[in-house]
């Protein structure tokens, strides 16, 4: 039996946001700049609307300017490109985030790669992805950035040399997560939908990062005793009484007594993601001359 520590992402994010607010005060005093984040939402996906509202609220609470731009579902790719270019030129905007997913008629890669890489606080632009992959300073995607911060905080110097398995190979989470773990000198394996015998692979993992999108998929019995588990998944499930509930990709209850530490859902990775977005926007403003 191992005592399983719950990694409190909510409290960690609160500390990070307070730190960002202090940096904002410093940037205002030293550079006479108020960091500004522009969030572009196309269409009216309810989940995206909630994310955008939360981002705007927390941006303002950190003392930064928030520019919200809501465009209709019928916005064309050309119109969205014009908006992005406008924000690229705007000196009050230091960070640009285009909320994904975009409507099907718009090519996401085209839009992301039109964002000025120096304002790409989501870290999705191919230049930032390339910089991260080659170990250069870059904007790091917010979700994996939050995950690596929590891992460093939990494991400290023990992180170096550990076996890490990242489940999921998306550009948003899985791939940048693997790059960050590699940078910390972990031995990294990326598992995905075609991986054979995931349970056997996880038995070798000191660190498991699950970013799949399948409710409660990873079972405690698959883990190595003492593994540290980061659950990125956000899945809404319907309970027998008809109520809904958010769960992760990891069956948390079955990991208790096996994992040495685990992030809860909600209250783990989620709150860290927005805090890291504020951190990246602050970093961008701080780089302005
Ligand atoms: P995605 O759909 O782009 O990628 C999912 C990955 O899972 C794919 O690479 C696929 O190969 C892999 N996969 C699918 N089935 C598998 C299986 N049976 N075994 C192993 N791998 C399998 O998803 P994403 O954008 O990376 O997001 C993953 C999850 O993380 C989702 O639940 C999403 O909601 C959540 N998420 C949370 C945050 C946050 O802030 N907490 C941010 C981004 C994504």
């Amino acid at each position: 039996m191992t005592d399983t520590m719950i990694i409190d992402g909510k409290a960690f994010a609160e500390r990070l946001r307070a730190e960002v607010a202090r940096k904002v005060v410093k940037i205002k005093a030293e550079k006479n700049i108020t960091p500004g984040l522009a969030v572009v939402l196309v269409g009216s996906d309810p989940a995206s609307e909630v994310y955008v509202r939360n981002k705007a609220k927390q941006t303002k609470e950190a003392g930064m300017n928030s520019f919200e731009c809501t465009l209709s579902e019928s916005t064309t790719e050309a119109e969205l490109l014009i908006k992005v270019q406008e924000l690229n030129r705007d000196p009050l905007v230091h960070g640009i985030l285009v909320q994904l997913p975009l409507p099907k008629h718009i090519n996401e890669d085209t839009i992301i790669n039109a964002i000025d890489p120096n304002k790409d606080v989501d870290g999705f632009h191919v230049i930032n992805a390339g910089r991260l992959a080659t170990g250069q300073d870059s904007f790091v995607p917010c979700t994996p950035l939050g995950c690596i911060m929590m891992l460093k905080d939990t494991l400290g110097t023990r992180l170096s040399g550990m076996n890490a398995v990242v489940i999921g190979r998306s550009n948003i989470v899985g791939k940048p997560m693997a790059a960050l773990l590699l940078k910390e000198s972990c031995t990294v394996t990326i598992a995905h939908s075609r991986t054979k015998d995931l349970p056997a692979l996880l038995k070798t993992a000191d660190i498991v990062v699950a970013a799949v999108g399948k409710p409660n998929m990873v079972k405690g019995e698959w883990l190595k005793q003492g593994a540290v588990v980061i659950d990125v998944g956000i899945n809404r499930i319907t309970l027998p009484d008809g109520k809904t509930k958010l769960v992760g990709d990891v069956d948390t209850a079955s990991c208790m007594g096996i994992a040495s530490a685990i992030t809860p859902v909600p209250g783990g990775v989620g709150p860290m993601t927005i805090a890291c977005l504020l951190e990246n926007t602050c970093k961008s403003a701080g780089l302005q001359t």
Side-chain angles (χ1 to χ4, degrees):
M1 266 299 262
T2 308
D3 270 344
T4 306
M5 181 184 89
I6 302 293
I7 301 173
D8 189 346
K10 206 167 156 219
F12 198 131
E14 222 171 279
R15 290 197 298 278
L16 184 56
R17 287 200 308 271
E19 201 181 295
V20 169
R22 283 193 291 277
K23 283 189 201 162
V24 169
V25 170
K26 198 160 173 259
I27 291 172
K28 281 182 182 169
E30 287 176 1
K31 295 180 175 255
N32 201 20
I33 287 175
T34 301
L37 172 67
V39 180
V40 182
L41 174 65
V42 185
S44 51
D45 174 58
S48 295
E49 279 176 345
V50 173
Y51 289 139
V52 168
R53 256 203 314 276
N54 282 338
K55 283 169 188 166
K57 183 171 168 277
Q58 294 188 23
T59 304
K60 288 177 206 150
E61 281 170 2
M64 306 202 256
N65 285 329
S66 168
F67 306 98
E68 294 124 67
C69 172
T70 308
L71 304 172
S72 77
E73 181 84 24
S74 61
T75 302
T76 64
E77 190 174 287
E79 285 165 341
L80 183 54
L81 279 173
I82 290 170
K83 185 72 214 171
V84 167
Q85 281 150 7
E86 210 178 275
L87 295 171
N88 282 344
R89 286 191 302 269
D90 190 336
L92 296 179
V93 172
H94 306 98
I96 303 170
L97 180 151
V98 177
Q99 185 67 42
L100 303 179
L102 288 169
K104 296 228 171 342
H105 62 275
I106 299 177
N107 183 308
E108 289 187 349
D109 288 341
T110 305
I111 299 301
I112 289 165
N113 289 328
I115 296 172
D116 178 345
N118 296 317
K119 295 188 178 187
D120 170 39
V121 286
D122 242 347
F124 296 160
H125 192 290
V126 72
I127 288 192
N128 281 312
R131 284 183 183 146
L132 176 62
T134 52
Q136 300 176 54
D137 188 38
S138 68
F139 285 113
V140 175
C142 304
T143 299
L145 180 58
C147 295
I148 202 77
M149 282 181 184
M150 289 191 285
L151 281 169
K152 279 178 160 179
D153 188 61
T154 306
L155 290 162
T157 52
R158 286 181 294 149
L159 191 53
S160 174
M162 280 189 155
N163 286 342
V165 173
V166 178
I167 319 173
R169 57 177 158 183
S170 72
N171 291 335
I172 295 173
V173 189
K175 282 184 203 146
M177 188 71 235
L180 289 169
L181 286 161
L182 196 56
K183 214 169 166 181
E184 296 303 323
S185 302
C186 291
T187 303
V188 186
T189 308
I190 304 182
H192 47 76
S193 52
R194 303 291 173 91
T195 295
K196 289 177 183 142
D197 203 353
L198 183 63
L201 183 63
L202 292 191
K203 278 283 172 211
T204 67
D206 305 304
I207 297 166
V208 176
V209 180
V212 186
K214 291 206 156 63
N216 300 323
M217 185 188 89
V218 176
K219 307 296 177 201
E221 69 202 54
W222 299 358
L223 300 177
K224 179 176 170 181
Q225 194 74 34
V228 173
V229 180
I230 304 288
D231 189 354
V232 181
I234 303 178
N235 311 289
R236 189 165 286 284
I237 58 163
T238 306
L239 300 169
D241 63 4
K243 289 191 181 140
T244 66
K245 181 184 173 201
L246 283 186
V247 298
D249 290 339
V250 179
D251 180 9
T252 316
S254 68
C255 299
M256 302 310 284
I258 300 170
S260 60
I262 190 165
T263 58
V265 177
V269 176
M272 284 299 285
T273 297
I274 301 187
C276 287
L277 176 66
L278 304 183
E279 165 78 16
N280 278 352
T281 305
C282 211
K283 171 176 166 171
S284 173
L287 290 172
Q288 302 296 307
T289 46

